[in-house]
């Protein structure tokens, strides 16, 4: 059997009992560590499971999946995925590959940023398409996220913006020279994300993201107990915060849609940089009826 097991969002203890049992019964356990990260190192998981874990990078999961699936028709093999196996990054490719090889598969679910974002007090029913924001370079600033945010905004819906992660990336030079030297991991922060959003607004000028008029909620280390941070405000408010206001990675951002319920305003107000401004924009710009 090939198991694909969600680990949840925080540490080794977020695995479900069902997931834990599957890990215990597996002869090989892989850890996918390039689309998201837990808040603890691999070694903590190994001690808790009393099992060695094999790190599976993008190349292994996407192009060498047969290595992972080897013998999974006669023994149990597990792939651990941070969050939920179908949360944001879907792992359908490897499941389809297993099926094609006649290997039985089972998915064990867990919490994902896709639902834990509800911690901000915004209703999951009111979210539109999720978008991903990648690190811009001097010459590469993909902006298709802007159209998706606009479509959501036109319907009054919130947008969950997932921020780029670069793990095991090679510099252009090392890539060109075929040197397997990797850059240190990078995780996009909320302030950088806000700067990139505002930069694209200044180019596209369609009025989707107004620094002083668009409400947003920044979330970091959701599910991480004391380390979780939620900060709400206008895009300008968030940009003005010191970098450490958002805590350690991973970070996400929600662009608040106009179909805003007063309970959402009241709940998220707890996290506002400036409560008065939060309510003022919610009432006067978003048109939310507040007491
Ligand atoms: C490509 S998604 C993978 C999501 C994962 N499979 C899941 O189900 O949660 C990774 C992105 O989600 C966001 N993210 C994941 N976990 C997070 C957390 N605990 N707190 C805040 N953002 C998180 C970050 O923006 C991160 O770069």
């Amino acid at each position: 059997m090939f198991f694909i097991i969600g680990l949840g969002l925080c540490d080794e203890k977020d695995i479900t009992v069902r997931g834990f049992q599957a890990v215990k019964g597996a002869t090989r356990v892989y850890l996918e560590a390039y689309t998201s990260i837990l808040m603890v190192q691999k070694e903590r998981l190994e001690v808790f499971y009393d099992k060695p874990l094999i790190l599976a990078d993008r190349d292994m999961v996407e192009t060498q999946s047969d290595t992972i699936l080897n013998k999974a028709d006669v023994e149990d093999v597990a792939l651990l995925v941070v969050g939920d196996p179908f949360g944001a990054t879907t792992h359908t490719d490897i499941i389809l590959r297993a099926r094609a090889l006649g290997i039985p598969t089972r998915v064990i679910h867990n919490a994902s940023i896709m639902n834990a974002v509800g911690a901000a007090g915004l209703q999951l029913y009111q979210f539109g398409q999720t978008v991903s924001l990648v690190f811009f370079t001097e010459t590469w600033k993909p902006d298709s996220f802007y159209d998706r945010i606009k479509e959501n905004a036109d319907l009054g819906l919130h947008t969950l913006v997932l921020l780029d992660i670069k793990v095991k990336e090679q510099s252009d030079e090392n890539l060109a020279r075929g040197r397997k030297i990797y850059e240190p991991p990078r995780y996009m922060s909320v302030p950088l994300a806000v700067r990139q959003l505002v930069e694209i607004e200044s180019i596209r000028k369609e009025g989707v993201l107004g620094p002083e008029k668009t409400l947003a909620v920044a979330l970091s280390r959701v599910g991480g107990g004391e380390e979780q941070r939620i900060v709400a405000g206008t895009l300008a408010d968030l940009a003005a915060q010191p970098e450490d206001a958002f805590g350690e990675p991973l970070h996400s951002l929600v662009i608040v849609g106009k179909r805003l319920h007063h309970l959402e305003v009241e709940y998220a107000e707890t996290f506002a940089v400036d409560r008065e401004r939060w309510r003022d924009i919610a009432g006067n710009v978003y048109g939310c009826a507040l007491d």
Side-chain angles (χ1 to χ4, degrees):
M1 174 82 73
F2 174 59
F3 287 93
I4 179 158
I5 302 171
L7 292 182
L9 295 171
C10 180
D11 62 22
E12 73 278 15
K13 295 195 182 129
D14 280 343
I15 194 167
T16 60
V17 174
R18 193 180 298 280
F20 186 72
Q21 287 170 340
V23 168
K24 294 303 262 181
T27 48
R28 292 192 320 282
V29 184
Y30 294 86
L31 173 63
E32 187 270 73
Y34 62 92
T35 60
S36 203
I37 51 161
L38 281 182
M39 300 170 206
V40 292
Q41 298 299 314
K42 165 176 165 276
E43 292 69 28
R44 278 267 294 268
L45 279 66
E46 292 179 317
V47 170
F48 190 70
Y49 306 149
D50 196 18
K51 280 243 151 138
L53 301 183
I54 307 162
L55 267 191
D57 60 18
R58 184 182 299 276
D59 196 37
M60 188 187 273
V61 177
E62 291 181 0
T63 62
Q64 298 166 38
S65 56
D66 287 2
T67 312
I68 298 177
L69 296 171
N70 187 30
K71 294 208 186 124
D73 51 339
V74 288
E75 52 193 51
D76 288 348
V77 174
L79 174 64
L80 308 181
V81 176
V82 176
D84 184 83
F86 294 133
T89 321
T90 61
H91 287 80
T92 44
D93 282 8
I94 194 162
I95 295 173
L96 287 174
R97 180 72 193 136
R99 284 190 190 154
L101 294 169
I103 297 168
T105 61
R106 185 158 304 157
V107 176
I108 301 179
H109 293 285
N110 210 317
S112 167
I113 188 59
M114 301 287 288
N115 66 279
V117 65
L122 300 169
Q123 293 169 16
L124 296 181
Y125 273 69
Q126 304 281 15
F127 278 73
Q129 306 161 87
T130 297
V131 302
S132 296
L133 188 62
V134 299
F135 282 108
F136 287 174
T137 67
E138 279 307 310
T139 51
W140 194 60
K141 299 183 189 217
D143 67 356
S144 58
F145 67 84
Y146 187 87
D147 300 301
R148 304 289 88 74
I149 296 177
K150 183 172 190 317
E151 286 163 3
N152 289 343
D154 288 346
L155 294 170
L157 300 175
H158 312 312
T159 305
L160 170 61
V161 185
L162 299 177
L163 310 186
D164 202 4
I165 294 178
K166 291 253 181 275
V167 182
K168 218 178 164 195
E169 296 277 328
Q170 287 165 281
S171 66
D172 288 346
E173 193 190 341
N174 286 329
L175 191 64
R177 293 176 186 236
R179 293 192 295 225
K180 289 209 179 297
I181 300 174
Y182 301 101
E183 301 297 300
R186 286 197 297 153
Y187 307 101
M188 189 186 288
S189 67
V190 162
L192 178 60
V194 171
R195 286 200 293 279
Q196 291 197 176
L197 294 178
V198 171
E199 181 179 350
I200 295 303
E201 175 62 53
S202 69
I203 297 167
R204 300 279 297 262
K205 294 193 176 68
E206 293 172 42
V208 177
L209 300 163
E212 316 286 342
K213 291 193 171 152
T214 299
L215 295 177
V217 184
L219 302 102
S220 33
R221 296 215 154 191
V222 178
E226 295 292 305
E227 294 189 43
Q228 174 175 301
R229 299 253 198 295
I230 305 179
V231 184
T234 61
L235 289 175
D237 284 335
L238 298 185
Q241 294 307 297
E243 194 93 13
D244 62 5
F246 303 101
E248 296 294 313
L250 299 174
H251 293 183
S252 293
L253 187 68
V254 178
I255 305 297
V256 177
K258 292 262 163 73
R259 203 192 292 171
L260 190 58
H261 192 271
H262 70 90
L263 286 177
E264 297 180 294
V265 177
E266 279 159 32
Y267 196 100
E269 187 185 324
T270 332
F271 312 115
V273 169
D274 181 325
R275 287 180 172 220
E276 216 171 293
R277 189 157 49 244
W278 174 263
R279 287 182 75 85
D280 176 49
I281 307 272
N284 295 322
V285 178
Y286 279 60
C288 186
L290 301 170
D291 294 339

